[in-house]
Amino acid sequence: MQEKIDIQISDQELIIDSCYSFVQHEGAGGNALFVGSVRSQTSGKKVIKLEFEAFESMARKELRKIAEAIMDKWQALGISIHHRTGTLAIGEIAVIIAVSAPHRDAAFEACQYAIDTLKVTVPIWKREYFDDGAIWVAAHP
Amino acid sequence: MRVKIRAFGIAKEIVGGPVSQLDLKDKATISEVKDVLSLKYPDFSTLKKFSIAVNESYQDDDYVVTEGDELVIIPPVSGG
């Protein structure tokens, strides 16, 4: 059977349908899709743009670990995770996660697990730019 | 031994570039690598935390560094 895991890190615009199409499976009864986008403010402060930097080779490995855990734990039928790098404007897509599974509970839970774990383990860093400077998100206590 | 360590995100700013050279004693552990880094660059102590990846995997503090290991400083991640 063809492996149903698709991991991509790209400095080009992310395409939702690319992830959604990838996870299509005739045994799937639920397809969960999470799309993370760049919001216009953080803690009341206006955000101008974001930059994502990745340690790409390791980030791909860590994303694959997440995908393999999902295939194993939730018997997912397909998973696609795409993460953006480079400069992003407000409203642009930063990350897409698509999971297909036989039933909706598994699809929802797996999708949530993927984004929650990504935020803890995958070596990608976000820099937020404001009118008066920039910060690396989550760097300091 | 003298090792090269790569840096990303805020760690790149703290060490002043994408790569730093560290002088480690033989059989240094990851814990000791962190100590050497924090001594050389005190700003590391202002971070929430930081990890060291060896050959593209996170390693525990007691891992012993050997010649040829690819070391990378991983400051708190913030993807997604």
Side-chain angles (χ1 to χ4, degrees):
Chain A
M1 192 183 110
Q2 196 196 345
E3 193 194 38
K4 290 292 281 179
I5 293 177
D6 169 43
I7 303 294
Q8 290 185 35
I9 294 172
S10 167
D11 62 0
Q12 304 295 309
E13 184 187 352
L14 301 186
I15 309 295
I16 294 171
D17 196 52
S18 159
C19 297
Y20 187 69
S21 303
F22 181 86
V23 302
Q24 292 310 298
H25 189 289
E26 63 179 20
N31 302 274
L33 191 60
F34 173 81
V35 179
S37 54
V38 180
R39 65 168 173 263
S40 60
Q41 59 83 32
T42 186
S43 308
K45 226 172 156 185
K46 187 181 161 206
V47 175
I48 297 168
K49 63 171 183 174
L50 283 192
E51 263 175 36
F52 281 105
E53 181 180 336
F55 175 15
E56 283 199 28
S57 54
M58 181 173 167
R60 263 191 287 274
K61 279 189 185 180
E62 290 294 326
L63 287 170
R64 180 162 289 277
K65 278 186 204 168
I66 292 172
E68 285 170 352
I70 284 173
M71 298 302 272
D72 196 39
K73 181 167 179 193
W74 284 279
Q75 282 82 52
L77 298 168
I79 175 157
S80 173
I81 308 177
H82 290 189
H83 202 297
R84 181 78 187 271
T85 56
T87 303
L88 279 74
I90 306 303
E92 279 196 90
I93 296 172
V95 61
I96 304 170
I97 297 168
V99 181
S100 62
H103 301 286
R104 67 181 182 281
D105 288 0
F108 273 130
E109 281 175 26
C111 202
Q112 170 114 42
Y113 169 85
I115 184 63
D116 290 351
T117 309
L118 181 158
K119 283 176 173 285
V120 177
T121 64
V122 180
I124 297 177
W125 298 272
K126 184 188 305 186
R127 191 159 165 77
E128 281 175 339
Y129 286 82
F130 308 106
D131 283 326
D132 58 351
I135 59 152
W136 288 100
V137 175
H140 297 105
Chain B
M1 63 182 158
R2 175 154 260 234
V3 300
K4 216 170 67 171
I5 190 162
R6 292 169 69 196
F8 286 91
I10 196 168
K12 200 163 67 179
E13 290 177 6
I14 292 174
V15 307
V19 178
S20 173
Q21 306 277 343
L22 296 182
D23 289 312
L24 302 177
K25 66 182 180 66
D26 281 350
K27 296 187 175 157
T29 62
I30 291 297
S31 177
E32 287 162 331
V33 172
K34 288 182 178 175
D35 290 345
V36 169
L37 271 173
S38 299
L39 205 64
K40 189 170 177 183
Y41 308 103
D43 280 352
F44 275 112
S45 62
T46 69
L47 298 183
K48 196 185 284 172
K49 61 164 193 165
F50 67 99
S51 306
I52 305 293
V54 182
N55 305 327
E56 301 176 351
S57 291
Y58 292 106
Q59 285 297 348
D60 294 331
D61 279 351
D62 56 3
Y63 174 90
V64 177
V65 177
T66 56
E67 204 95 44
D69 277 345
E70 189 207 18
L71 302 178
V72 178
I73 308 165
I74 310 283
V77 303
S78 49

